[in-house]
Amino acid sequence: MAKSGDGIRILQGLLVFGNVVIGMCGIALTAECIFFVSDPHGLYPLLEATENDDIYAAAWIGIFVGFALFALSILGIVAVIKSNRTLLLVYIILMLITYAFEMASCITAATHRDFLTPNLFLKQMLERYQKSDTDNNNDKWMTEGVTKTWDKLMLRNQCCGVYGPSDWQEYTSAFRKTHIDADFPWPHNCCVMDAQGSPVNLDGCKLGVPGYYNSNGCYDTISGPMNTHAWGVAWFGFAILCWTFCVLLGTMFYWSRIEY
Amino acid sequence: RPTLCLLLTDQIPTLTKPTLATSALGGFITASTFVLEQPRCTFTGPQDTVIWLVVARPEAVPSFNNSVKPGSPARAFQQFLNSTLAYMTLNTTLLNYPCPKKPGEITVLRVGSETSCTSDANRPTCNGPLPNPGPYQVKFLALNGSEPVAETAWSDPITLRTAKPPSSIPGKGSGRSAGMIALTSILSILFAILLAGLVAMLVWGSDVGGGSSTFSKPEAVTVRRYNTHHVYDQPAARL
């Protein structure tokens, strides 16, 4: 009896430790998801215009799941120490619900990241950047979002287009409808700017002289943060769920071994 | 080449043909402009000789007449592709094409850069953007007053870019990545195991008392010492 008593004490200790880790991971998940939702790189308007912004939904779910995990881990620690069957059962069921939500968040983030390809952003940029004839308010809102975001991206990261300035030459675009090719082979934001925000050499920029225009594409500066966002939510959530799985199995075993 | 042609025209020297600028320039060919190398070290003669650029459709090349004055309706940019198949523009004196050119300098001419005069009939020598992708052929013509004194050969045909519509960009989604499939399947399996565990727990774990491995809740066992008068009295009695 003493030996199994020791075994159960060890299990108790492990469960408490497991719940402590879950609680800390819950807080970390909440913090990480708040960071992503705050959109530090200003890329949300691009996602909004693709009408496929579910990686943000996944981050929102992550915020609440993180809180839930923290609260439930405290409940779990109390329940394990008191060896109260009712409390443990409540803990297990609530944890399973939280598990399901977190699973949804991870799978959503991972799946929707796969939709965000360079061609998607290229098409969106060509169809929406500087579009002047918008159909309705929603269209106007999305167009303004895309235009502002691209202007900011091109100026801040010294890049042009998705693959490069040739995007504006290879395809017709909404931009081309209002800006003729001879004056604007590509937007002037693709030019190297001086301290006052005007092109250093506009003719050099229009000619495409290396050094007066930005010849690299902006896709890396878009996909970098988005990948971090999606994989951060998906894989950190996955890690938490694997750990939670072990703790929950241990808790179920513990529950079945205590008397009322 | 028909010798009849040579007998009819003046025999002026024919120099090396114009070339496009290097493709290292991002905008060397766009949808309505193209960039030529300047004709440095090509022409000789007095510094006030005027060098003109002739832009023509290939159909107009065999019958091109050097003596037609630039700026006339037969050579006006605004009439290009309407009533004429060639126009003359970008005139400058030989002074602006010094020879030899400084190393490292980019010496180019951008054909099609003037957008303000495309419809201005008062500017027949406008360097306006080309109306369609072409092809076009160009040459330089040196005039002394209104007399042609030298020309280059016609360039190779230059075709401008044709832009495709954005709808031609291939489709949206890529395939499912391996990571996402692994994540989904592993999480689903784990969740299924947990649910099975919950069911097993509720069904079988409810009857407690399964032998020596059952764990009883620790009761607060305390040993209370019962002190009665008798225990204290006895040692006193012995003494």
Side-chain angles (χ1 to χ4, degrees), chain A residues 39 52 55 74 96 110 123 133 145 171 181 186 191 218 251 255:
Chain A
D39 191 24
N52 198 345
I55 59 176
I74 295 180
L96 281 176
K123 214 164 163 180
D133 51 343
Y171 298 98
D181 172 78
W186 31 75
C191 301
C218 296
T251 313
W255 187 89

Side-chain angles (χ1 to χ4, degrees), chain A residues 85 170-172 181-183 207-208, chain B residues 26-27 30 32 110 115 164 205:
Chain A
R85 264 198 160 199
E170 272 183 51
Y171 298 98
T172 60
D181 172 78
D183 280 334
L207 273 175
Chain B
T30 72
S32 60
R110 187 158 181 251
T115 50
K164 303 184 284 247

